[in-house]
Amino acid sequence: MTNGRFLSVRHRAMTNSHKSRMSVAYFGGPPLDACIVAPPVMVTSKRPSLLFKPFTWAEYKKVTYSMKLGERRIDFFRKCTTQQQIE
């Protein structure tokens, strides 16, 4: 969504044997036919939309369910593979 301007980090949770913790999962998403693409405000002449090809939410979910939990799903939609091409 940010066309590479902001990078996400992997979620990590630390366990604590002295204090209990409760987690609640919430799942939401756009309609299956929604096109996922960087918003125009994130696309500039210095940072053209070259990182990811547009995809639908249905395509993303299909890839998600076909991969292992630790694999980066978004990389399936990446146009380029090296950091030099991104910068």
Coordinates of all heavy atoms in Angstrom, one line a residue:
M1 N 0.8 -1.2 0.0 CA 0.0 0.0 0.0 C 0.8 1.3 0.0 O 0.4 2.3 -0.5 CB -0.9 0.0 1.2 CG -2.0 -1.1 1.2 SD -3.2 -1.0 -0.1 CE -4.0 0.6 0.2
T2 N 2.1 1.2 0.5 CA 2.9 2.4 0.6 C 3.9 2.5 -0.5 O 4.8 3.4 -0.5 CB 3.6 2.5 2.0 OG1 4.5 1.5 2.1 CG2 2.6 2.5 3.1
N3 N 3.9 1.5 -1.4 CA 4.8 1.5 -2.6 C 6.3 1.5 -2.1 O 7.1 2.1 -2.6 CB 4.6 2.7 -3.5 CG 5.2 2.6 -4.8 OD1 5.3 1.5 -5.4 ND2 5.6 3.7 -5.4
G4 N 6.5 0.8 -1.0 CA 7.9 0.6 -0.4 C 8.3 1.7 0.5 O 9.4 1.7 1.0
R5 N 7.5 2.7 0.7 CA 7.9 3.9 1.6 C 8.0 3.4 3.0 O 9.0 3.8 3.7 CB 6.9 5.0 1.5 CG 7.3 6.2 2.3 CD 6.4 7.4 2.0 NE 6.8 8.5 2.9 CZ 6.0 9.5 3.2 NH1 4.9 9.6 2.6 NH2 6.4 10.4 4.0
F6 N 7.1 2.6 3.5 CA 7.1 2.1 4.8 C 7.2 0.6 4.7 O 6.5 -0.1 4.0 CB 5.9 2.5 5.6 CG 5.7 4.0 5.7 CD1 4.7 4.6 5.0 CD2 6.6 4.7 6.5 CE1 4.5 5.9 5.1 CE2 6.4 6.1 6.5 CZ 5.3 6.7 5.9
L7 N 8.1 0.0 5.5 CA 8.3 -1.5 5.5 C 7.7 -2.1 6.8 O 7.9 -1.5 7.9 CB 9.8 -1.9 5.4 CG 10.5 -1.3 4.1 CD1 11.9 -1.7 4.2 CD2 9.8 -1.9 2.9
S8 N 7.0 -3.1 6.7 CA 6.4 -3.8 7.9 C 7.5 -4.7 8.5 O 8.4 -5.1 7.9 CB 5.2 -4.5 7.5 OG 5.5 -5.6 6.7
V9 N 7.2 -5.0 9.8 CA 8.1 -5.9 10.5 C 7.3 -7.1 10.9 O 6.1 -7.1 10.9 CB 8.7 -5.3 11.8 CG1 9.6 -4.1 11.4 CG2 7.6 -4.8 12.7
R10 N 8.0 -8.2 11.1 CA 7.3 -9.4 11.5 C 6.8 -9.3 12.9 O 7.4 -8.8 13.8 CB 8.2 -10.6 11.4 CG 8.5 -11.0 10.0 CD 9.2 -12.3 9.9 NE 9.5 -12.6 8.5 CZ 8.8 -13.5 7.8 NH1 7.9 -14.2 8.4 NH2 9.1 -13.7 6.6
H11 N 5.6 -9.8 13.1 CA 5.0 -9.7 14.5 C 5.7 -10.8 15.3 O 5.8 -11.9 15.0 CB 3.5 -10.0 14.4 CG 2.8 -10.2 15.7 ND1 2.6 -9.1 16.5 CD2 2.5 -11.3 16.4 CE1 2.0 -9.6 17.7 NE2 2.0 -10.9 17.6
R12 N 6.1 -10.3 16.5 CA 6.7 -11.2 17.5 C 6.1 -11.0 18.8 O 5.9 -9.8 19.2 CB 8.2 -11.0 17.5 CG 8.9 -11.4 16.3 CD 10.4 -11.3 16.5 NE 11.1 -11.8 15.3 CZ 11.6 -11.0 14.3 NH1 11.4 -9.7 14.4 NH2 12.2 -11.5 13.3
A13 N 5.7 -12.0 19.5 CA 5.2 -11.9 20.9 C 6.1 -12.6 21.8 O 6.5 -13.7 21.6 CB 3.8 -12.4 20.9
M14 N 6.4 -12.0 23.0 CA 7.2 -12.6 24.0 C 6.3 -13.2 25.0 O 5.3 -12.5 25.5 CB 8.2 -11.6 24.6 CG 9.2 -11.1 23.6 SD 10.3 -9.9 24.4 CE 11.1 -10.9 25.7
T15 N 6.6 -14.4 25.5 CA 5.8 -15.0 26.5 C 6.4 -14.6 27.9 O 7.5 -14.3 28.0 CB 5.8 -16.5 26.4 OG1 7.2 -17.0 26.5 CG2 5.2 -17.0 25.1
N16 N 5.5 -14.6 28.8 CA 5.9 -14.2 30.2 C 5.3 -15.3 31.1 O 4.1 -15.4 31.2 CB 5.3 -12.8 30.5 CG 5.7 -12.3 31.9 OD1 6.1 -13.1 32.8 ND2 5.7 -11.0 32.1
S17 N 6.2 -16.0 31.8 CA 5.7 -17.1 32.7 C 5.2 -16.5 34.0 O 4.6 -17.3 34.8 CB 6.8 -18.1 32.9 OG 7.9 -17.4 33.6
H18 N 5.3 -15.2 34.3 CA 4.8 -14.7 35.5 C 3.5 -13.9 35.4 O 2.8 -13.7 36.4 CB 5.8 -13.7 36.1 CG 7.2 -14.3 36.3 ND1 7.5 -15.2 37.2 CD2 8.3 -14.1 35.6 CE1 8.7 -15.6 37.1 NE2 9.3 -15.0 36.1
K19 N 3.1 -13.6 34.2 CA 1.8 -12.9 34.0 C 1.1 -13.5 32.8 O 1.6 -13.7 31.8 CB 2.1 -11.4 33.8 CG 0.9 -10.5 33.8 CD 1.3 -9.1 33.7 CE 0.1 -8.2 33.6 NZ 0.5 -6.8 33.5
S20 N -0.2 -13.7 33.0 CA -1.0 -14.2 31.9 C -1.3 -13.2 30.9 O -1.2 -12.0 31.1 CB -2.3 -14.8 32.4 OG -3.1 -13.8 33.0
R21 N -1.6 -13.6 29.7 CA -1.8 -12.8 28.5 C -3.0 -13.3 27.7 O -3.2 -14.5 27.6 CB -0.6 -12.7 27.7 CG -0.8 -11.9 26.4 CD 0.5 -12.0 25.6 NE 0.1 -11.5 24.3 CZ 0.8 -11.7 23.2 NH1 1.8 -12.5 23.2 NH2 0.4 -11.3 22.0
M22 N -3.8 -12.4 27.2 CA -5.0 -12.8 26.4 C -4.8 -12.1 25.1 O -4.5 -10.9 25.0 CB -6.3 -12.4 27.0 CG -7.5 -12.8 26.2 SD -9.1 -12.2 26.8 CE -9.1 -13.1 28.4
S23 N -5.0 -12.9 24.0 CA -5.0 -12.3 22.7 C -6.3 -12.6 22.0 O -6.9 -13.7 22.2 CB -3.9 -13.0 21.8 OG -2.6 -12.7 22.4
V24 N -6.8 -11.7 21.2 CA -8.0 -11.8 20.5 C -7.7 -11.6 19.0 O -7.1 -10.6 18.6 CB -9.1 -10.8 21.0 CG1 -10.3 -10.9 20.1 CG2 -9.3 -11.0 22.4
A25 N -8.1 -12.6 18.2 CA -7.8 -12.5 16.7 C -9.0 -11.8 16.1 O -10.2 -12.0 16.4 CB -7.7 -13.9 16.1
Y26 N -8.7 -10.9 15.2 CA -9.8 -10.2 14.4 C -9.4 -10.3 13.0 O -8.3 -9.9 12.6 CB -9.9 -8.8 14.9 CG -10.9 -8.0 14.0 CD1 -12.3 -8.1 14.2 CD2 -10.4 -7.1 13.0 CE1 -13.2 -7.4 13.4 CE2 -11.3 -6.5 12.2 CZ -12.7 -6.6 12.4 OH -13.6 -5.9 11.6
F27 N -10.3 -10.8 12.1 CA -10.0 -10.9 10.7 C -11.0 -10.0 9.9 O -12.2 -10.1 10.1 CB -10.1 -12.3 10.3 CG -9.1 -13.2 11.0 CD1 -9.5 -14.0 12.1 CD2 -7.8 -13.3 10.6 CE1 -8.6 -14.8 12.8 CE2 -6.9 -14.1 11.2 CZ -7.3 -14.8 12.3
G28 N -10.4 -9.3 9.0 CA -11.3 -8.4 8.2 C -10.6 -8.3 6.9 O -9.4 -8.5 6.7
G29 N -11.3 -7.9 5.9 CA -10.6 -7.7 4.6 C -11.6 -7.0 3.6 O -12.8 -7.0 3.9
P30 N -11.1 -6.5 2.5 CA -12.0 -5.9 1.5 C -12.7 -7.0 0.7 O -12.5 -8.2 0.9 CB -11.0 -5.2 0.6 CG -9.7 -6.0 0.7 CD -9.7 -6.5 2.1
P31 N -13.6 -6.6 -0.1 CA -14.3 -7.6 -1.0 C -13.3 -8.3 -1.8 O -12.2 -7.8 -2.1 CB -15.2 -6.7 -1.9 CG -15.4 -5.4 -1.2 CD -14.1 -5.2 -0.4
L32 N -13.6 -9.6 -2.2 CA -12.7 -10.4 -2.9 C -12.3 -9.8 -4.2 O -11.1 -10.1 -4.7 CB -13.3 -11.8 -3.1 CG -13.6 -12.6 -1.9 CD1 -14.3 -13.9 -2.2 CD2 -12.2 -12.9 -1.2
D33 N -13.1 -9.0 -4.9 CA -12.7 -8.4 -6.2 C -12.0 -7.1 -6.1 O -11.7 -6.5 -7.1 CB -13.9 -8.3 -7.1 CG -15.0 -7.4 -6.6 OD1 -14.9 -7.0 -5.4 OD2 -15.9 -7.1 -7.3
A34 N -11.7 -6.6 -4.8 CA -11.0 -5.4 -4.6 C -9.6 -5.5 -5.1 O -8.9 -6.4 -4.9 CB -11.0 -5.0 -3.1
C35 N -9.2 -4.4 -5.9 CA -7.9 -4.4 -6.5 C -6.9 -3.7 -5.4 O -7.2 -2.6 -5.0 CB -7.8 -3.6 -7.7 SG -6.2 -3.6 -8.6
I36 N -5.9 -4.4 -5.1 CA -4.9 -3.9 -4.1 C -3.7 -3.3 -4.9 O -3.1 -4.0 -5.7 CB -4.3 -5.1 -3.2 CG1 -5.5 -5.9 -2.6 CG2 -3.4 -4.5 -2.1 CD1 -6.4 -5.2 -1.7
V37 N -3.5 -2.0 -4.7 CA -2.5 -1.3 -5.4 C -2.1 -0.1 -4.6 O -2.9 0.4 -3.8 CB -3.1 -0.8 -6.8 CG1 -4.2 0.1 -6.7 CG2 -2.0 -0.3 -7.7
A38 N -0.9 0.4 -4.8 CA -0.5 1.6 -4.0 C -1.4 2.8 -4.4 O -1.7 3.1 -5.6 CB 1.0 2.0 -4.4
P39 N -1.8 3.6 -3.4 CA -2.6 4.8 -3.6 C -1.8 5.8 -4.4 O -0.6 5.9 -4.3 CB -3.0 5.3 -2.3 CG -2.6 4.2 -1.3 CD -1.6 3.4 -2.0
P40 N -2.5 6.6 -5.3 CA -1.8 7.6 -6.1 C -0.9 8.5 -5.3 O 0.2 8.9 -5.8 CB -2.9 8.4 -6.7 CG -4.1 7.4 -6.8 CD -3.9 6.6 -5.5
V41 N -1.2 8.8 -4.1 CA -0.4 9.7 -3.2 C 1.0 9.1 -2.9 O 1.9 9.8 -2.6 CB -1.1 10.1 -2.0 CG1 -1.3 9.0 -1.0 CG2 -0.4 11.3 -1.3
M42 N 1.1 7.8 -3.0 CA 2.3 7.0 -2.7 C 3.2 6.8 -4.0 O 4.3 6.3 -3.9 CB 2.1 5.7 -2.0 CG 1.5 5.8 -0.7 SD 2.7 6.5 0.4 CE 1.8 6.7 1.9
V43 N 2.7 7.2 -5.1 CA 3.4 7.0 -6.4 C 3.9 8.4 -6.8 O 3.1 9.3 -7.0 CB 2.5 6.3 -7.5 CG1 3.2 6.2 -8.8 CG2 2.0 5.0 -7.0
T44 N 5.2 8.5 -7.0 CA 5.8 9.7 -7.4 C 6.8 9.5 -8.6 O 7.1 8.3 -8.9 CB 6.6 10.4 -6.3 OG1 7.7 9.6 -5.9 CG2 5.7 10.6 -5.1
S45 N 7.3 10.5 -9.1 CA 8.3 10.3 -10.2 C 9.6 9.7 -9.6 O 10.3 9.0 -10.3 CB 8.7 11.7 -10.9 OG 9.2 12.6 -9.9
K46 N 9.9 10.0 -8.4 CA 11.1 9.4 -7.7 C 10.8 8.0 -7.2 O 11.7 7.2 -7.0 CB 11.6 10.2 -6.5 CG 12.2 11.5 -7.0 CD 12.7 12.3 -5.8 CE 13.3 13.6 -6.2 NZ 13.9 14.3 -5.1
R47 N 9.6 7.6 -7.0 CA 9.2 6.3 -6.6 C 8.0 5.8 -7.4 O 6.8 5.8 -6.9 CB 8.8 6.3 -5.1 CG 8.6 4.9 -4.5 CD 8.4 4.9 -3.0 NE 9.6 5.2 -2.3 CZ 10.6 4.3 -2.0 NH1 10.5 3.1 -2.5 NH2 11.6 4.6 -1.3
P48 N 8.2 5.5 -8.7 CA 7.1 5.0 -9.5 C 6.6 3.7 -8.9 O 7.2 3.0 -8.1 CB 7.7 4.8 -10.9 CG 9.2 4.7 -10.6 CD 9.5 5.4 -9.3
S49 N 5.4 3.3 -9.4 CA 4.8 2.0 -8.9 C 5.4 0.8 -9.6 O 4.9 0.2 -10.4 CB 3.3 2.1 -9.2 OG 2.7 0.9 -8.6
L50 N 6.7 0.5 -9.1 CA 7.4 -0.6 -9.7 C 7.6 -1.8 -8.8 O 8.1 -2.8 -9.2 CB 8.8 -0.1 -10.1 CG 8.9 1.1 -11.1 CD1 10.3 1.5 -11.3 CD2 8.3 0.6 -12.4
L51 N 7.2 -1.6 -7.5 CA 7.5 -2.7 -6.6 C 6.6 -3.9 -6.7 O 7.0 -5.0 -6.7 CB 7.4 -2.1 -5.2 CG 8.4 -1.0 -4.8 CD1 8.2 -0.5 -3.4 CD2 9.8 -1.5 -5.1
F52 N 5.3 -3.6 -6.8 CA 4.3 -4.7 -6.8 C 3.3 -4.6 -8.0 O 2.9 -3.5 -8.4 CB 3.5 -4.8 -5.5 CG 4.4 -4.9 -4.3 CD1 4.8 -3.8 -3.6 CD2 4.8 -6.2 -3.9 CE1 5.6 -4.0 -2.5 CE2 5.6 -6.4 -2.8 CZ 6.0 -5.3 -2.1
K53 N 2.9 -5.7 -8.6 CA 1.9 -5.7 -9.6 C 0.6 -5.6 -8.9 O 0.4 -6.1 -7.7 CB 2.0 -6.9 -10.5 CG 1.9 -8.2 -9.7 CD 2.1 -9.4 -10.7 CE 2.0 -10.7 -9.9 NZ 2.2 -11.9 -10.7
P54 N -0.4 -5.0 -9.4 CA -1.8 -5.0 -8.8 C -2.3 -6.4 -8.7 O -2.1 -7.2 -9.6 CB -2.6 -4.1 -9.8 CG -1.6 -3.4 -10.6 CD -0.4 -4.2 -10.7
F55 N -3.1 -6.6 -7.6 CA -3.7 -7.9 -7.4 C -5.0 -7.8 -6.7 O -5.2 -6.7 -6.1 CB -2.7 -8.9 -6.7 CG -2.2 -8.3 -5.4 CD1 -2.9 -8.6 -4.2 CD2 -1.1 -7.6 -5.3 CE1 -2.5 -8.1 -3.0 CE2 -0.6 -7.1 -4.1 CZ -1.3 -7.3 -2.9
T56 N -5.8 -8.7 -6.8 CA -7.1 -8.7 -6.0 C -6.9 -9.3 -4.7 O -6.0 -10.1 -4.4 CB -8.2 -9.4 -6.8 OG1 -7.9 -10.8 -6.9 CG2 -8.4 -8.8 -8.2
W57 N -7.9 -9.0 -3.8 CA -7.9 -9.6 -2.5 C -8.0 -11.2 -2.6 O -7.4 -11.9 -1.9 CB -9.0 -9.0 -1.6 CG -9.0 -9.5 -0.2 CD1 -10.0 -10.2 0.4 CD2 -8.0 -9.3 0.8 NE1 -9.6 -10.5 1.7 CE2 -8.4 -10.0 2.0 CE3 -6.7 -8.7 0.8 CZ2 -7.6 -10.0 3.1 CZ3 -5.9 -8.8 1.9 CH2 -6.4 -9.4 3.1
A58 N -8.8 -11.6 -3.6 CA -9.0 -13.1 -3.8 C -7.7 -13.7 -4.2 O -7.4 -14.8 -3.7 CB -10.1 -13.3 -4.8
E59 N -6.9 -13.1 -5.0 CA -5.6 -13.6 -5.4 C -4.7 -13.7 -4.2 O -3.9 -14.7 -4.1 CB -5.0 -12.7 -6.5 CG -5.7 -12.8 -7.8 CD -5.2 -11.8 -8.8 OE1 -4.9 -10.6 -8.4 OE2 -5.1 -12.1 -10.0
Y60 N -4.7 -12.6 -3.4 CA -3.8 -12.6 -2.2 C -4.2 -13.8 -1.3 O -3.3 -14.5 -0.7 CB -3.9 -11.3 -1.5 CG -3.0 -11.2 -0.3 CD1 -1.7 -11.0 -0.4 CD2 -3.5 -11.4 1.0 CE1 -0.8 -11.0 0.7 CE2 -2.7 -11.4 2.1 CZ -1.4 -11.1 2.0 OH -0.5 -11.1 3.0
K61 N -5.5 -14.0 -1.0 CA -6.0 -15.0 -0.1 C -5.6 -16.4 -0.7 O -5.2 -17.3 0.1 CB -7.5 -14.9 0.1 CG -7.9 -13.8 1.0 CD -9.3 -13.7 1.2 CE -9.7 -14.9 2.1 NZ -10.9 -14.7 2.9
K62 N -5.7 -16.6 -2.0 CA -5.3 -17.9 -2.6 C -3.8 -18.2 -2.4 O -3.5 -19.3 -2.0 CB -5.6 -17.8 -4.1 CG -5.3 -19.1 -4.8 CD -5.7 -19.0 -6.3 CE -5.4 -20.3 -7.0 NZ -5.7 -20.2 -8.4
V63 N -3.0 -17.2 -2.5 CA -1.6 -17.3 -2.3 C -1.3 -17.6 -0.8 O -0.6 -18.5 -0.4 CB -0.8 -16.1 -2.7 CG1 0.7 -16.1 -2.2 CG2 -0.8 -16.0 -4.2
T64 N -2.0 -16.9 0.1 CA -1.9 -17.0 1.5 C -2.2 -18.5 1.9 O -1.4 -19.1 2.7 CB -2.8 -16.1 2.3 OG1 -2.4 -14.7 1.9 CG2 -2.8 -16.3 3.7
Y65 N -3.2 -19.0 1.4 CA -3.6 -20.4 1.8 C -2.7 -21.5 1.2 O -2.7 -22.6 1.6 CB -5.1 -20.7 1.5 CG -6.0 -19.8 2.3 CD1 -7.1 -19.2 1.7 CD2 -5.8 -19.5 3.6 CE1 -8.0 -18.4 2.4 CE2 -6.6 -18.7 4.4 CZ -7.7 -18.1 3.7 OH -8.6 -17.3 4.4
S66 N -1.9 -21.1 0.2 CA -1.1 -22.1 -0.4 C 0.4 -22.1 0.1 O 1.2 -22.9 -0.2 CB -1.0 -21.9 -1.9 OG -0.3 -20.7 -2.2
M67 N 0.7 -21.2 1.0 CA 2.0 -21.0 1.6 C 2.1 -21.4 3.0 O 1.1 -21.5 3.7 CB 2.5 -19.6 1.4 CG 2.6 -19.2 -0.1 SD 3.0 -17.5 -0.3 CE 4.8 -17.7 -0.3
K68 N 3.3 -21.6 3.5 CA 3.5 -21.9 4.9 C 3.4 -20.6 5.7 O 3.6 -19.5 5.2 CB 4.9 -22.5 5.1 CG 5.1 -23.9 4.5 CD 6.5 -24.4 4.8 CE 6.7 -25.7 4.1 NZ 8.0 -26.2 4.3
L69 N 3.1 -20.7 7.0 CA 2.8 -19.6 7.8 C 4.0 -18.6 7.9 O 3.8 -17.4 7.8 CB 2.5 -20.0 9.3 CG 2.1 -19.0 10.2 CD1 0.8 -18.3 9.7 CD2 1.8 -19.6 11.6
G70 N 5.2 -19.0 7.9 CA 6.4 -18.1 8.0 C 6.8 -17.4 6.7 O 7.6 -16.5 6.7
E71 N 6.2 -17.8 5.6 CA 6.6 -17.3 4.3 C 6.0 -15.9 4.0 O 4.9 -15.7 4.4 CB 6.3 -18.2 3.2 CG 7.0 -19.5 3.2 CD 6.6 -20.6 2.2 OE1 5.4 -20.7 2.0 OE2 7.5 -21.1 1.6
R72 N 6.7 -15.0 3.3 CA 6.2 -13.7 3.1 C 5.4 -13.7 1.8 O 5.8 -13.9 0.7 CB 7.4 -12.7 2.9 CG 8.2 -12.5 4.1 CD 9.4 -11.6 3.9 NE 9.1 -10.4 3.1 CZ 8.7 -9.2 3.7 NH1 8.6 -9.1 5.0 NH2 8.5 -8.2 2.9
R73 N 4.1 -13.6 2.0 CA 3.1 -13.7 0.9 C 3.2 -12.6 -0.1 O 3.0 -12.8 -1.3 CB 1.7 -13.8 1.5 CG 1.4 -15.0 2.3 CD 0.6 -14.8 3.5 NE 0.3 -16.0 4.2 CZ 1.1 -16.5 5.1 NH1 2.2 -15.9 5.4 NH2 0.8 -17.6 5.8
I74 N 3.5 -11.4 0.4 CA 3.5 -10.2 -0.5 C 4.6 -10.4 -1.6 O 4.5 -9.8 -2.7 CB 3.7 -8.9 0.3 CG1 3.4 -7.7 -0.6 CG2 5.1 -8.8 0.9 CD1 1.9 -7.6 -1.0
D75 N 5.7 -11.2 -1.3 CA 6.8 -11.3 -2.3 C 6.3 -12.0 -3.5 O 6.9 -11.8 -4.6 CB 7.9 -12.1 -1.6 CG 8.7 -11.3 -0.6 OD1 8.6 -10.0 -0.6 OD2 9.4 -11.9 0.2
F76 N 5.2 -12.7 -3.5 CA 4.6 -13.4 -4.7 C 4.2 -12.3 -5.7 O 4.2 -12.6 -6.9 CB 3.4 -14.3 -4.3 CG 2.9 -15.0 -5.4 CD1 3.4 -16.2 -5.8 CD2 1.7 -14.6 -6.1 CE1 2.9 -17.0 -6.9 CE2 1.2 -15.3 -7.1 CZ 1.8 -16.5 -7.5
F77 N 3.8 -11.1 -5.2 CA 3.3 -10.1 -6.1 C 4.4 -9.0 -6.4 O 4.1 -8.1 -7.1 CB 2.1 -9.4 -5.5 CG 1.0 -10.4 -5.2 CD1 0.8 -10.9 -4.0 CD2 0.2 -10.8 -6.2 CE1 -0.2 -11.9 -3.7 CE2 -0.8 -11.7 -6.0 CZ -1.0 -12.3 -4.7
R78 N 5.6 -9.2 -6.0 CA 6.7 -8.3 -6.2 C 7.1 -8.3 -7.7 O 7.3 -9.4 -8.2 CB 7.9 -8.6 -5.3 CG 9.0 -7.6 -5.3 CD 10.1 -7.9 -4.3 NE 9.6 -7.8 -2.9 CZ 9.5 -6.7 -2.2 NH1 9.9 -5.6 -2.8 NH2 9.1 -6.7 -1.0
K79 N 7.4 -7.2 -8.2 CA 7.8 -7.1 -9.6 C 9.4 -7.3 -9.7 O 9.9 -7.8 -10.6 CB 7.5 -5.7 -10.2 CG 6.0 -5.5 -10.6 CD 5.8 -4.2 -11.2 CE 4.4 -3.9 -11.6 NZ 4.2 -2.6 -12.2
C80 N 10.1 -6.8 -8.7 CA 11.5 -6.9 -8.7 C 12.0 -7.6 -7.4 O 11.2 -7.7 -6.5 CB 12.2 -5.5 -8.7 SG 11.6 -4.4 -7.4
T81 N 13.2 -8.1 -7.4 CA 13.6 -9.0 -6.3 C 14.8 -8.4 -5.5 O 15.1 -8.9 -4.4 CB 14.0 -10.4 -6.8 OG1 15.0 -10.2 -7.8 CG2 12.7 -11.1 -7.4
T82 N 15.5 -7.4 -6.0 CA 16.7 -7.0 -5.3 C 16.4 -5.6 -4.7 O 15.7 -4.8 -5.2 CB 17.9 -6.9 -6.2 OG1 17.7 -5.9 -7.2 CG2 18.2 -8.2 -6.9
Q83 N 17.1 -5.3 -3.6 CA 17.0 -4.0 -2.9 C 17.4 -2.9 -3.9 O 16.9 -1.8 -3.9 CB 17.8 -4.0 -1.7 CG 17.6 -2.8 -0.8 CD 16.2 -2.7 -0.2 OE1 15.5 -3.6 -0.1 NE2 15.7 -1.5 0.0
Q84 N 18.4 -3.1 -4.7 CA 18.9 -2.1 -5.6 C 17.8 -1.6 -6.6 O 17.7 -0.5 -6.9 CB 20.1 -2.6 -6.4 CG 21.3 -2.8 -5.5 CD 22.5 -3.4 -6.3 OE1 22.2 -4.1 -7.3 NE2 23.7 -3.1 -5.8
Q85 N 17.0 -2.6 -7.0 CA 15.9 -2.2 -7.9 C 14.8 -1.4 -7.2 O 14.2 -0.6 -7.8 CB 15.3 -3.4 -8.5 CG 16.2 -4.2 -9.5 CD 15.5 -5.5 -10.0 OE1 15.2 -6.3 -9.1 NE2 15.4 -5.7 -11.2
I86 N 14.7 -1.6 -5.9 CA 13.7 -0.8 -5.2 C 14.1 0.6 -4.9 O 13.3 1.5 -5.0 CB 13.4 -1.6 -3.8 CG1 12.8 -2.9 -4.1 CG2 12.5 -0.8 -2.9 CD1 12.7 -3.9 -2.9
E87 N 15.4 0.8 -4.6 CA 15.9 2.1 -4.3 C 16.2 2.9 -5.5 O 15.7 3.5 -6.2 CB 17.1 2.0 -3.4 CG 16.9 1.4 -2.1 CD 18.1 1.1 -1.3 OE1 19.2 1.2 -1.9 OE2 18.0 0.8 -0.2

